[in-house]
Amino acid sequence: MSTTTEAQANSKTVVRDILLFNVANTLCGIDVLLIQEVRKDFEITPVPLAPDYVSGVMNLRGEIATVFDLGLKLGLQSEMDPKLRKVIVLKNRGGEFEGLLVDDVADVMQITGNDVNSAPGHLTSVKPEFVEGICRQDEDLVALLNLHVIFEKK
Amino acid sequence: MTTTDESILKEFLAEALDHLDGIEDSLLQIEGDGANINEELVNKVFRAVHTIKGGAGFLNLQKISQVCHAQENILNLVRNRKLVPTNPVTTTLLITLDTIKGLLLDISLEAAADVSTELARLNTILAAAEAGMNESQMASNSGPGGAPAERPLKDSVSDDQLDSWRRKGFWVFEFKIDFSDPKSYGYMTGDSLLSVMEKTGTIIASSMPINDLKVRLGKGTFEDVPVDLLYASILEPDLIRQMLRLPVTDIHQVVSQDSKASTPAPAPVPKAGMVSTIPSPTVSSPIVVSIPVPPPGEVAQHAVAAEPADKIKVSLSVIDNLMSLAGELVLARNQLIQSVSSKDIEAIDRSARQLNFITSELQMNIMSTRMQPVGNVFNKFRRIVRDMGQKLGKHVQILISGEEVELDKNIIEAIGDPLTHIVRNSMDHGIETVETREAIGKAAMATIQLVARHEAGMVVLEVSDDGAGIDAARVKRKAIEKSVVTAQAAEMMTEKEILNLVFLPGFSTADKVTDISGRGVGMDVVRTTFAKLGGSVDIVSVFGKGTTLQIRLPLTLAIIPALMVKVADMVFAVPQVNLQELVRVAPDQVKKRINRVGDAVFLRLRDELLPLLSIREILKVKSYFTDPITGEEREDKRQFWDRRKTDEEVSEEIRNLRQKTGDRRSRMGGSVKIAVVTTGHIRFGIVVDGFQDTEEVVLKPLGSHIKECRFYSGATILGDGRPALIFDISGVAEHWLNIATLQDARESISSKQTTKEDVQALIILKGGGEQFYAAPLGLITRIEQVDAKQIEKVGGKVHMQYRNAIMPLYTVDGIAKVEALPEQDFYYVVLFKMQKKDVGLIVAEIVDTVETKAIVDQSAYHQNGIMGTSIIDGRTTFMLDLYGIAVGQNPELGHTPVVAQVAGSVETKVLVVDDSLFFRTQIQKFVEEAGFKTLTAEDGVQALEMMKDSANVISMLLTDIEMPNMDGLELTRHVRDLPQFKNLPILAITSLMGSDAEKRGLEAGVNEYQIKLDREKIVDRLRFYHKVK
């Protein structure tokens, strides 16, 4: 009963750590609690016939992780040399390992619910439905991504 | 319920279910034995039931305990030969066991369950048996019977004393026995009666001192006075009564006044009064069975679905092995660390090898803990077949072989349902009624055969029946009716493809729906289930003769053998289960053997047109090549990989240029590499860029986003750490093979097809001294290139480690007088099967495969291991006798125990027909070695005459297909026209395997096709038919 309101109140004040990263010159962020690790030395094996936003699979210490081209999925075109990119490894709800191919990992920033604004569509180049909210870091706008919506299967 | 109770309950359930599984089989056997009781077996069942009863009593599961108790009574009668375990008796026992099983599986229902019907059924049998027994006993034993005597004896013993007996779990009885007339109790002497009593209990008091009694009995001077006895035993009243064979009225249980303390076990015994006459089971009016008899399959399914605990039993020796391996592993690791730090390459190499060995051992051991014999599943079918046979009024016997073959626990658990479905189908639709069978001259007793065996790293399960078979024409009609296929498409399908339509959803040919099968669901589920397990299923049926379903399964789900193939710079795995053969089409053959019609491409493979899929094309992998003139990288724009110019068509100049620059087109030389795969449903070839090794790969699941493309079943991690995708062959077939266009295309090509000759596919090998050998390709299961170091010599025998087992190796020079193999770094090992095990022949080189008419000259060079010589491609080639080579170097292989059995049986002859003297004598030789007598004929005309002349002695016909004067097919048709040979087993032996040839053969009335010189298989089948007869 009161837990929901408490939770809401908490979400306003509780401090969350957000990992910031760049995808095609767009600053995005996801909660660090979702993240297993960030890898910079990796080899992606392409998977022909898979959806275009799937870059391939990688060997994550004996498990097979699917690597997604986050930029492509968000509708952005990255010009980064693939060799210099990084992979953010997550574990999804089904317990599968997933990797997000991003251009660069920037920083970790702390935010509270008060810092997050609902996303006005025109503020970033990311499709509005993929964005949970917008927050500010110095001069830049950070798009907090809603991964569940992004990787929801139709 | 406390946790301890719960864990005890769980243990009990697991154990009880284990017991039940065993009981069922034994009961069926007991039934089979009839009056000829196998006491050991009955005792086994009795003990099992007793154990369940004991446990149930302890856990206060009264219903189970009651039913078990009633069963015990009947079993006891059976054991004492008072009751013949006829069909109704065992049926009742089985049904009541099912009830117990049902209760065990859902123990929460136990307390509320109503088992009165079960008890009534059991008691009816008991009462009927007792009535018969007692009558005869009463008749001869009128003397001592009668009203219960006074109980002076009881008074001689204090209540306390009796109570102490009872507290120890004994029952106390009082009865009168007339030792002077032991025969009335069914004993030879009074002595033996007394000794039985002393063995099963204790005589507390007697109206005559026991020693006195013994002396008198010994002297034989016993007066005709009944002796009163007070007797304590742990056996329950009904059991005591049966054991001592006392009339019901003569035995009394002495119950204490305090009834609570009186009965040691919570068995349902009346507890009123000081002494109660034990109620004899009342003969109630005939009982109408009200419990629905569960269809046997459902019971089995239920049982599989609801294993009570997720536990497996592992033998201690396996654990011990694992422990010692773990020790070795640590040792090897230490060695490795040491040798790495000292940078001693040789030591590292040694440790790596050691690690490799330990890892495979560990893998094998760990896998073995999950392995269970397929017999666990197969044996359930004895009951199913029996019950269904009864229900359907069909006489069916079930032959089971290969129960010891092991599969992963998960697979074992999953195959129960689909196999049940297949067996039910066979019983219901496949096997004809007794009347029909008799009318068409088949044996009234039909046979269903369940076979399991290892084949090419997989397990093959076969369910075959000798029933009516499937009418392909009807399947075709139905398929068109239900618009599963179009009429045109159906017209062009081969018989095999038509039969495979039954695996499509919603397809059932049963005219009427029975409660057993025919609801139009099923075979598609069967196929999907096996496919999910990484297996495949194939159907072969001869209308009028029977149906065989062949299921291929991997040994385990986690690790599968796979062939690694290369496409562009990617490596993929093709599961071995799908793999049939590898074909390399030489550049100058491409035009001749690969045809393109519209979008479809075909390979001419022997007499078959095999659809081809290019993985490159499907995956849309761009290929690049270096321009031979400018030297720049350019995309290869050729649309058709099969449009390869033969060398003659390319100008000399370009050819030279290409060779110089190492152009891809000269390097891959245009040879097309094809892996022939099957889904069980359809066979096709996938074109790849290169073949690599076969490996045991660990299957890892793919993410859900990739799964959707249905092209991969998973991924694995290669030795270099890179992931490799595993092809899902059925997914590939489903999505990329367009059956309809294939049919059109096949039609257009096949019209141009040339007729074939009686040719033999041979593999040409090279031994020492540039000597060429040839062996029938059909016999060879695999070829491996091995490092000379891998070949080990122990005790004069040569072997190598192959797939975690020791494989014996042979050489031609080990038996025949030919030059020894040259010293080489690498050898080739040609694998073939001896007694279902892999053995290998070492040769220096693999030269080629050829299809030749194989005219073999047996006059020269005929010696052990060599059948004769033949001129192949202008070279004198020795024809190898692979079996001779193996047996010559390992005589044990030549003697199978079965030989003696067959030899000693009824005198019948096998007629061997072949126009080639070479083949005829070869076949004759090994058929005779297997213990059969033979007759031979040169062609169909001669054979037919012989059949007419000596109809009585010919029990089987083995015939070649291609022969002058009258070929094998015509011979078969003529033979089938003769009434006495309607059911004669006819095996066509051919060097040409192919669906077309097979189809024509089956249409002519041949029972089956076998490859010429596949000695083991042919002999195996001969024995099978011999047994069936």
Side-chain angles (χ1 to χ4, degrees):
Chain A
M1 294 186 289
S2 65
T3 40
T4 18
T5 45
E6 250 170 54
Q8 273 167 2
N10 279 347
S11 74
K12 289 282 180 199
T13 53
V14 159
V15 179
R16 292 160 70 196
D17 285 334
I18 300 291
L19 179 77
L20 301 181
F21 53 89
N22 274 299
V23 181
N25 299 320
T26 308
L27 195 59
C28 301
I30 51 177
D31 197 318
V32 290
L33 294 179
L34 296 170
I35 298 168
Q36 296 274 323
E37 60 188 297
V38 176
R39 316 244 313 186
K40 55 179 185 195
D41 290 322
F42 54 87
E43 196 175 346
I44 294 177
T45 302
V47 179
L49 300 179
D52 56 355
Y53 59 88
V54 173
S55 305
V57 289
M58 63 184 268
N59 173 5
L60 190 77
R61 289 182 301 275
E63 293 301 314
I64 302 285
T66 312
V67 182
F68 298 97
D69 187 335
L70 188 60
L72 212 60
K73 187 71 189 175
L74 296 178
L76 305 169
Q77 197 64 51
S78 166
E79 270 132 39
M80 187 84 167
D81 179 348
K83 287 191 184 100
L84 300 174
R85 293 199 205 177
K86 309 251 178 342
V87 170
I88 300 173
V89 180
L90 323 161
K91 202 170 189 177
N92 76 2
R93 283 176 177 176
E96 300 165 2
F97 287 106
E98 293 180 342
L100 303 180
L101 199 56
V102 301
D103 287 355
D104 201 8
V105 174
D107 203 354
V108 176
M109 95 185 217
Q110 294 190 328
I111 57 163
T112 63
N114 291 326
D115 301 331
V116 182
N117 305 309
S118 61
H122 60 278
L123 272 184
T124 69
S125 37
V126 181
K127 286 185 192 160
E129 64 265 32
F130 292 160
V131 178
E132 187 188 303
I134 298 285
C135 64
R136 211 168 253 290
Q137 193 220 25
D138 304 332
E139 298 301 293
D140 299 319
L141 285 180
V142 178
L144 296 176
L145 298 181
N146 186 344
L147 293 176
H148 296 315
V149 176
I150 295 174
F151 292 109
E152 202 177 14
K153 277 174 290 169
K154 276 133 242 157
Chain B
M1 201 177 257
T2 65
T3 10
T4 336
D5 282 353
E6 232 162 79
S7 72
I8 293 173
L9 180 65
K10 263 188 192 153
E11 294 266 314
F12 163 70
L13 291 179
E15 192 189 283
L17 285 172
D18 260 7
H19 277 304
L20 280 180
D21 276 353
I23 291 176
E24 199 171 283
D25 270 357
S26 307
L27 269 179
L28 292 178
Q29 238 174 303
I30 291 170
E31 184 192 77
D33 292 344
N36 184 18
I37 303 286
N38 174 351
E39 249 176 83
E40 193 40 51
L41 208 58
V42 182
N43 276 332
K44 192 183 131 200
V45 176
F46 187 88
R47 276 195 300 271
V49 173
H50 193 78
T51 311
I52 297 176
K53 186 182 86 171
F58 179 71
L59 291 162
N60 206 18
L61 302 168
Q62 302 223 359
K63 304 289 163 45
I64 292 178
S65 166
Q66 283 168 19
V67 178
C68 284
H69 181 74
Q71 286 175 338
E72 257 180 21
N73 291 340
I74 291 180
L75 286 166
N76 198 39
L77 287 179
V78 172
R79 182 163 65 173
N80 292 336
R81 292 165 206 271
K82 297 276 182 204
L83 181 64
V84 178
T86 50
N87 186 307
V89 174
T90 40
T91 303
T92 308
L93 285 173
L94 286 169
I95 288 173
T96 47
L97 279 171
D98 287 347
T99 311
I100 294 180
K101 196 167 187 171
L103 291 175
L104 287 172
L105 288 171
D106 198 344
I107 204 73
S108 60
L109 297 179
E110 208 267 349
D114 176 17
V115 291
S116 57
T117 332
E118 282 76 10
L119 290 175
R121 284 185 80 141
L122 290 164
N123 285 335
T124 316
I125 292 181
L126 187 67
E130 300 248 304
M133 188 168 90
N134 285 346
E135 267 165 33
S136 59
Q137 226 168 49
M138 292 297 187
S140 64
N141 192 23
S142 49
E150 301 302 303
R151 291 171 295 283
L153 255 183
K154 204 217 148 247
D155 300 333
S156 68
V157 182
S158 72
D159 273 354
D160 283 354
Q161 208 182 339
L162 288 179
D163 275 347
S164 84
W165 281 109
R166 291 193 196 99
R167 271 197 300 275
K168 278 187 260 171
F170 284 78
W171 306 77
V172 181
F173 307 99
E174 183 179 31
F175 45 72
K176 242 187 228 305
I177 284 189
D178 182 1
F179 283 98
S180 64
D181 187 16
K183 288 195 179 68
S184 70
Y185 307 104
Y187 289 93
M188 286 309 289
T189 64
D191 251 351
S192 56
L193 174 55
L194 188 63
S195 79
V196 166
M197 287 184 68
E198 286 187 321
K199 267 186 213 153
T200 47
T202 311
I203 296 169
I204 302 171
S206 161
S207 60
M208 178 187 288
I210 294 294
N211 285 338
D212 206 9
L213 178 64
K214 277 183 185 163
V215 172
R216 289 189 190 202
L217 280 173
K219 283 185 188 153
T221 58
F222 198 79
E223 305 94 37
D224 188 9
V225 181
V227 181
D228 285 320
L229 290 170
L230 204 55
Y231 179 68
S233 166
I234 50 166
L235 291 179
E236 283 126 53
D238 331 33
L239 292 176
I240 280 290
R241 186 159 38 79
Q242 282 170 28
M243 183 132 70
L244 301 179
R245 296 154 194 168
L246 287 173
V248 175
T249 44
D250 272 9
I251 181 164
H252 307 286
Q253 189 191 346
V254 184
V255 187
S256 96
Q257 262 145 339
D258 177 8
S259 68
K260 265 184 204 158
S262 72
T263 47
V269 181
K271 301 157 190 165
M274 275 289 286
V275 173
S276 67
T277 302
I278 295 149
S280 85
T282 47
V283 186
S284 52
S285 51
I287 289 156
V288 182
V289 183
S290 60
I291 41 157
V293 182
E298 269 161 42
V299 176
Q301 282 166 19
H302 193 42
V304 171
E307 288 286 299
D310 237 355
K311 285 185 189 166
I312 47 174
K313 283 183 189 160
V314 179
S315 80
L316 205 58
S317 68
V318 173
I319 306 275
D320 287 346
N321 264 342
L322 284 174
M323 282 301 292
S324 70
L325 281 169
E328 281 182 53
L329 190 66
V330 172
L331 219 65
R333 181 199 58 189
N334 295 349
Q335 275 170 4
L336 187 65
I337 291 173
Q338 211 165 38
S339 39
V340 167
S341 63
S342 66
K343 299 210 167 51
D344 179 351
I345 297 292
E346 239 174 67
I348 293 175
D349 194 49
R350 249 196 331 268
S351 314
R353 226 178 288 178
Q354 185 69 10
L355 264 180
N356 180 29
F357 175 76
I358 298 170
T359 317
S360 4
E361 281 282 296
L362 254 180
Q363 182 197 335
M364 211 166 64
N365 265 284
I366 293 174
M367 302 285 277
S368 76
T369 60
R370 293 190 57 87
M371 297 307 253
Q372 292 193 341
V374 76
N376 290 0
V377 182
F378 275 9
N379 288 331
K380 292 190 202 304
F381 290 107
R382 291 188 205 277
R383 167 87 188 275
I384 292 176
V385 165
R386 168 193 179 272
D387 286 1
M388 278 190 71
Q390 232 164 49
K391 202 160 160 189
L392 298 167
K394 295 174 180 178
H395 295 322
V396 187
Q397 60 168 334
I398 180 161
L399 300 176
I400 293 178
S401 65
E403 300 112 302
E404 72 287 348
V405 171
E406 289 189 323
L407 279 167
D408 191 281
K409 182 169 180 278
N410 288 346
I411 299 181
I412 289 282
E413 277 166 12
I415 59 175
D417 286 4
L419 281 181
T420 308
H421 191 94
I422 293 171
V423 171
R424 280 195 200 181
N425 261 345
S426 277
M427 293 288 297
D428 199 17
H429 309 313
I431 287 165
E432 313 91 332
T433 56
V434 176
E435 298 79 52
T436 320
R437 286 182 74 91
E438 276 168 352
I440 56 173
K442 280 189 179 179
M445 175 73 85
T447 306
I448 287 186
Q449 215 189 12
L450 289 175
V451 180
R453 64 167 183 274
H454 286 280
E455 201 175 288
M458 310 278 305
V459 167
V460 175
L461 307 180
E462 262 179 15
V463 184
S464 43
D465 66 58
D466 61 349
I470 299 175
D471 182 356
R474 217 173 104 214
V475 173
K476 198 197 273 183
R477 243 185 3 256
K478 281 262 159 138
I480 298 168
E481 239 170 65
K482 297 188 175 180
S483 11
V484 177
V485 289
T486 63
Q488 294 102 300
E491 275 318 304
M492 282 165 204
M493 291 175 124
T494 64
E495 183 164 320
K496 193 164 176 158
E497 281 163 332
I498 288 173
L499 285 181
N500 272 300
L501 290 175
V502 302
F503 290 116
L504 293 177
F507 197 94
S508 171
T509 56
D511 280 334
K512 51 182 187 297
V513 170
T514 69
D515 66 336
I516 293 165
S517 47
R519 296 191 193 89
V521 286
M523 287 313 268
D524 62 316
V525 180
V526 167
R527 192 176 67 168
T528 350
T529 314
F530 288 128
K532 265 191 211 147
L533 295 172
S536 62
V537 53
D538 196 10
I539 189 166
V540 179
S541 181
V542 188
F543 189 42
K545 298 272 164 6
T547 306
T548 299
L549 272 112
Q550 198 186 62
I551 299 133
R552 297 169 66 82
L553 289 167
L555 291 168
T556 171
L557 297 176
I559 299 185
I560 57 166
L563 173 77
M564 312 308 286
V565 299
K566 238 178 131 97
V567 178
D569 57 349
M570 289 182 286
V571 176
F572 296 95
V574 182
Q576 197 88 46
V577 54
N578 301 108
L579 206 58
Q580 289 198 320
E581 60 182 301
L582 302 179
V583 179
R584 182 181 140 269
V585 182
D588 56 333
Q589 297 268 313
V590 170
K591 253 200 156 168
K592 210 169 89 195
R593 291 186 60 188
I594 299 183
N595 305 72
R596 180 179 283 265
V597 180
D599 285 341
V601 185
F602 291 92
L603 167 73
R604 284 182 192 277
L605 184 63
R606 293 185 279 281
D607 66 336
E608 191 188 0
L609 280 170
L610 194 74
L612 291 184
L613 288 176
S614 161
I615 297 297
R616 247 173 202 277
E617 251 173 49
I618 294 174
L619 300 185
K620 302 193 184 70
V621 182
K622 288 187 187 122
S623 31
Y624 298 90
F625 70 100
T626 318
D627 191 292
I629 297 157
T630 61
E632 60 185 303
E633 283 261 308
R634 289 214 323 232
E635 194 181 327
D636 188 356
K637 293 254 173 51
R638 286 182 311 173
Q639 266 193 304
F640 301 121
W641 51 269
D642 51 304
R643 289 287 156 78
R644 205 150 277 166
K645 283 184 179 155
T646 60
D647 264 3
E648 297 82 60
E649 289 169 296
V650 182
S651 74
E652 183 81 13
E653 211 177 317
I654 294 179
R655 200 157 66 219
N656 288 340
L657 188 63
R658 278 184 188 170
Q659 262 156 20
K660 242 184 272 164
T661 55
D663 179 4
R664 182 183 54 86
R665 279 175 293 190
S666 88
R667 221 175 340 107
M668 48 189 254
S671 90
V672 177
K673 289 153 192 105
I674 298 160
V676 180
V677 291
T678 179
T679 61
H681 173 57
I682 186 158
R683 220 164 98 90
F684 61 100
I686 54 176
V687 180
V688 297
D689 291 353
F691 301 125
Q692 298 189 337
D693 251 344
T694 58
E695 274 177 37
E696 303 243 300
V697 301
V698 181
L699 189 85
K700 302 272 178 186
L702 283 170
S704 44
H705 290 261
I706 301 177
K707 263 185 213 150
E708 278 166 19
C709 70
R710 290 285 281 122
F711 207 80
Y712 314 103
S713 58
T716 186
I717 293 176
L718 297 175
D720 62 3
R722 282 192 306 163
L725 296 156
I726 302 169
F727 284 143
D728 169 6
I729 296 297
S730 29
V732 172
E734 232 166 272
H735 287 75
W736 302 93
L737 276 179
N738 185 335
I739 308 284
T741 53
L742 284 184
Q743 292 307 334
D744 289 351
R746 187 177 285 177
E747 181 70 3
S748 87
I749 298 179
S750 61
S751 56
K752 297 176 221 152
Q753 224 180 346
T754 50
T755 53
K756 56 193 174 299
E757 294 165 60
D758 185 12
V759 292
Q760 171 83 5
L762 296 173
I763 182 161
I764 309 294
L765 314 162
K766 210 152 111 183
E770 296 296 297
Q771 177 58 56
F772 289 92
Y773 302 121
L777 194 58
L779 297 189
I780 288 161
T781 50
R782 262 176 100 80
I783 294 170
E784 294 271 352
Q785 191 193 34
V786 301
D787 196 319
K789 288 179 214 151
Q790 282 176 263
I791 299 172
E792 298 161 14
K793 210 169 199 172
V794 177
K797 296 216 165 147
V798 186
H799 65 258
M800 66 180 273
Q801 291 187 21
Y802 181 68
R803 296 199 174 156
N804 301 324
I806 302 289
M807 177 171 75
L809 295 178
Y810 309 108
T811 53
V812 182
D813 56 82
I815 175 148
K817 287 191 194 78
V818 295
E819 281 200 46
L821 286 170
E823 288 288 331
Q824 290 181 182
D825 290 342
F826 286 95
Y827 291 98
Y828 290 88
V829 172
V830 177
L831 272 69
F832 56 101
K833 296 261 178 197
M834 283 296 289
Q835 292 181 9
K836 302 184 180 165
K837 291 210 175 67
D838 281 321
V839 297
L841 175 74
I842 314 174
V843 295
E845 216 177 294
I846 306 291
V847 182
D848 201 359
T849 63
V850 293
E851 292 185 355
T852 161
K853 283 211 77 170
I855 296 162
V856 181
D857 180 0
Q858 284 181 282
S859 56
Y861 297 110
H862 183 74
Q863 51 174 316
N864 277 346
I866 293 174
M867 296 173 181
T869 54
S870 182
I871 307 291
I872 297 168
D873 286 347
R875 292 183 296 238
T876 305
T877 307
F878 284 159
M879 292 290 294
L880 295 182
D881 172 8
L882 292 178
Y883 293 94
I885 291 171
V887 173
Q889 290 171 61
N890 188 1
E892 292 148 37
L893 289 174
H895 304 288
T896 54
V898 194
V899 173
Q901 280 176 23
V902 176
S905 62
V906 195
E907 175 108 352
T908 53
K909 286 181 177 164
V910 178
L911 179 57
V912 178
V913 193
D914 200 314
D915 57 322
S916 137
L917 174 70
F918 166 70
F919 283 120
R920 197 166 64 236
T921 45
Q922 288 299 328
I923 295 164
Q924 184 189 6
K925 214 169 84 190
F926 70 66
V927 170
E928 284 183 356
E929 268 170 31
F932 295 92
K933 295 256 180 335
T934 57
L935 291 169
T936 57
E938 274 175 29
D939 59 30
V941 178
Q942 199 190 354
L944 196 58
E945 266 169 32
M946 289 173 74
M947 308 244 357
K948 284 177 183 158
D949 288 346
S950 38
N952 300 331
V953 291
I954 293 175
S955 62
M956 273 177 255
L957 176 60
L958 262 177
T959 176
D960 184 22
I961 297 297
E962 307 291 334
M963 289 184 294
N965 300 331
M966 185 192 285
D967 70 14
L969 296 181
E970 207 180 328
L971 169 64
T972 306
R973 277 189 284 269
H974 281 298
V975 170
R976 287 288 184 227
D977 282 344
L978 302 171
Q980 68 268 41
F981 289 129
K982 274 223 149 44
N983 298 309
L984 181 81
I986 301 181
L987 260 72
I989 39 174
T990 174
S991 41
L992 288 171
M993 289 294 273
S995 56
D996 245 32
E998 206 169 327
K999 182 183 154 193
R1000 286 188 299 127
L1002 297 180
E1003 273 168 6
V1006 164
N1007 289 63
E1008 60 184 86
Y1009 256 69
Q1010 290 300 339
I1011 300 176
K1012 247 180 216 185
L1013 298 188
D1014 189 348
R1015 179 200 305 233
E1016 290 217 18
K1017 199 78 186 274
I1018 291 177
V1019 169
D1020 210 41
R1021 296 315 287 170
L1022 287 179
R1023 286 191 181 133
F1024 169 71
Y1025 286 115
H1026 186 82
K1027 206 159 49 176
V1028 168
K1029 275 173 84 77

